[in-house]
Every structure is written in structure tokens, then in C-alpha cells.
Amino acid sequence: MNNASFVSHAELADLLRRLSEQAEVWVPTRQAMTPHRPMFRPFQAGMDLDFQPMPVTSAKGVLFPQGEELLKFRKEKSLSEATVTTLLWEDPAVFRPTIVFGCRPCDARGFLVFDRAFLQGSFVDPFYKARRDKNLVVSMVCPEPDAACFCGAVGSHPADTEGSDVQMIPVKEGYVLHGLTEKGQEFLKNVENTPSQAQQEEARQVWTSAQGSVDSGASLTDDAQHFFKRFADTAFWRFHTERCLSCGVCTYLCPTCYCFTLTDETNGVHGERLRSWDACMFHHFTQEASGHNPRPTKAERFRNRVGHKFSYFPEKHGRFACCGCGRCLRHCPVGMDIRAIVRALGESEEVHD
């Protein structure tokens, strides 16, 4: 690999400090509320950085905030004409450059699903685009995939570079960094140390070992093709989703889920239009004004979740809307396993109510 740089463990905090003078740098860090699992937070000096375990949350909030203001409005009432006029205006938003530093390759690939949804359709989301244009992704080769990881089943592996601008490979004395894109190579000017031959060889071995550390032979592609065969099998979906709580944690933690809702919050004649994360696993997500709900039960909502990720999205965009990070398994309070449901699609089991 070319265009390599090296940063030692001792130099990492100073690198992040210098980067944070140019951009908002999001790093995985442990805090009092998450002592066992890191979460992504903007870098601050003295943070307890931890790149080893999978962070609880993905970094999608950097480009797609959990809540954001889209525009402001003001209502004006004309007493003479008995009419109410709504005036809209948008404050020119200023988006600071951001760096996602040390995410997993699966999280980096998750941004590609967002790109398809927000940048490549008939309409471009200006808020997402403004953030994406000023964003750089530094992913780290996944050192220890756990039993919930299944990136290999969705066409990836723990050393994948897709979606990353820079790849960092952990070695004994620090990290070897490789620039993968033009932005990534520009980034490496911040790290001028060239890795030694021994460090490059160690990095190569780490990369090769990581690439093969997750079974890629159990692809979900063949199983997912049976989705429409099971679509109307109500008993199948009820059986496999019976214990689901519809809590929505799977969608909130998922690096590829992008459902949102819009609300107008008013204070007198002034108001704001807000965009907030939502979840297709919630009953009210598809509740219509008439009271009708096309997905009234959790079985139908979970069927839609499986269909979107493994059938509808791949048919339209050519890739799964799932990066195999395993957060939906790892943090589900009742142990729902979307892999098992997809694999069951093609099985010959008969389920009866």
C-alpha cells in the first residue's frame, strides 16, 4: 500500500487536538454513562479514547443529527381581510467540517446507504449534502469482531475500505494510516511520520488477519431472494416477531436507518420546522390522518424492516441497506436476530397461528 503514515499511541492525542482546530473530530470515547462501551463524541483534550470495542452508537448522527431545525416561520394575521399568512425563511446554516475518526468499516459503509437515499435520488437533501461535502471518514480495521458481527454475510469484511477516506490499522506501537481518496491523502499531510518497514509488514499482517476473521461464506443474498415468497405468510412473520417489543432501539442504533419525521414547534406567532429521527418499528410511523394504518402490527412493521434492508433497497440501489455491524442484535432487549429471520425466509418450515 502507498501513501502511508504512522502515528504512535503517544502522539495520537496531539494529532486529534490539532485536527480539532480545523474540524469537529468525532471519536469513540468512554464516559460515566457508558463505562463499558464507547460512544462517539466530539473530541476534547483528556478524553478516555477507546477504539477496541464496537461503539454503542454509530457515527450517523454526525451527518444526520437526531434533531435539527430546517427552517423558521412566522404567522401574520390580517384583521381587515380575516386571513392568516405564513412567512417562511431559512437561516443560512453554517456547517463546520467534520472528521469521523476511528469508526468501524461497517459504519463507513453505512454512510453509502445514506448517500443513496439523500444524494442520488430525484431530490438532494441540502442539509445532508452540506455536511457530507465537509466530512472525512477515518475507519479502523476491526480488531476483534464479536459473535453479533455479520459484515461477511452482507458482502463486506472487517478490513473493508469502502466508504472510507483513510484507513487506520492498529499495530503494537500505534497506527499505520493509508489515504484512500483525494481527501484522505490530503489528510495524511497532518501525519508526516512514515512507517518503518517492520510497521508496514505488521500492518499488512493485521489487515490480512482481519479480512478473514468473519465468515463470508454464509451470505444472506440467497436467503433474501425468498422475501416475496414469504411476504403474505402472516403466520411466519408473527412467529418470528412475537417477542419484539417495538422499542425501536434497533433502528436508532442502526448505521443505515434514516427514517425521520417533521414537526412544527410554535411559540406564539413564531415557529420552527424540525426534523427528528423516527423509526418504522413504531406504530404511529405509518399512522394516517384518517386513522388507517397500513402496518398496524409489529409483524407487518418487522416485515417491512426486513424487506427494506434485504429486498426493496437492493433491488433499487444494488446493495443491502444493512452493513452487518450487529448492533440490532447486540443491544436488542429481547435478542431479536434479523440474520435468523432472513435465513428462515428460504427454509421450508411451516408456521401455524
Side-chain angles (χ1 to χ4, degrees), residues 50-80:
D50 191 346
F51 297 101
Q52 289 302 315
M54 171 78 76
V56 175
T57 56
S58 75
K60 71 177 179 181
V62 177
L63 301 184
F64 182 62
Q66 192 162 3
E68 65 177 325
E69 177 190 295
L70 301 183
L71 56 83
K72 297 180 185 294
F73 59 85
R74 183 179 73 248
K75 293 184 180 296
E76 293 185 347
K77 185 173 183 179
S78 171
L79 296 178
S80 60

Side-chain angles (χ1 to χ4, degrees), residues 71-76 84-89 269 271:
L71 56 83
K72 297 180 185 294
F73 59 85
R74 183 179 73 248
K75 293 184 180 296
E76 293 185 347
V84 176
T85 302
T86 301
L87 304 176
L88 306 177
W89 76 92
V269 296

Side-chain angles (χ1 to χ4, degrees), residues 255-273:
T256 66
C257 281
Y258 50 81
C259 289
F260 63 85
T261 188
L262 298 178
T263 54
D264 287 350
E265 302 291 337
T266 59
N267 182 10
V269 296
H270 298 278
E272 301 170 330
R273 178 155 298 170

Side-chain angles (χ1 to χ4, degrees), residues 4-7 167-171 174-178 195 199-200 203:
S5 296
F6 173 77
V7 58
Q167 184 176 62
M168 56 189 288
I169 304 175
V171 294
Y175 303 93
V176 173
L177 308 176
H178 294 281
Q199 289 166 338
Q200 295 210 49

Side-chain angles (χ1 to χ4, degrees), residues 83-200:
T83 58
V84 176
T85 302
T86 301
L87 304 176
L88 306 177
W89 76 92
E90 299 179 12
D91 289 332
V94 178
F95 299 104
R96 192 182 179 203
T98 57
I99 299 173
V100 175
F101 192 96
C103 70
R104 291 290 193 274
C106 48
D107 284 350
R109 293 179 81 239
F111 289 131
L112 301 181
V113 174
F114 273 75
D115 289 348
R116 298 292 176 96
F118 289 108
L119 300 180
Q120 298 175 14
S122 302
F123 302 94
V124 173
D125 187 294
F127 297 88
Y128 179 83
K129 184 178 187 306
R131 292 189 177 93
R132 187 60 158 146
D133 288 346
K134 294 185 177 182
N135 171 251
L136 182 133
V137 177
V138 181
S139 69
M140 189 181 79
V141 167
C142 192
E144 297 179 357
D146 63 27
C149 295
F150 61 100
C151 58
V154 293
S156 182
H157 56 79
D160 202 342
T161 59
E162 190 179 26
S164 301
D165 296 299
V166 176
Q167 184 176 62
M168 56 189 288
I169 304 175
V171 294
K172 291 178 182 176
E173 298 173 329
Y175 303 93
V176 173
L177 308 176
H178 294 281
L180 305 172
T181 64
E182 186 176 339
K183 286 197 298 185
Q185 295 188 19
E186 184 69 20
F187 168 87
L188 290 191
K189 293 179 181 177
N190 294 285
V191 192
E192 297 181 346
N193 298 332
T194 301
S196 65
Q197 286 292 328
Q199 289 166 338
Q200 295 210 49

Side-chain angles (χ1 to χ4, degrees), residues 38-52:
M39 298 180 72
F40 279 96
R41 293 280 187 269
F43 172 78
Q44 295 179 353
M47 272 185 160
D48 182 13
L49 304 177
D50 191 346
F51 297 101
Q52 289 302 315

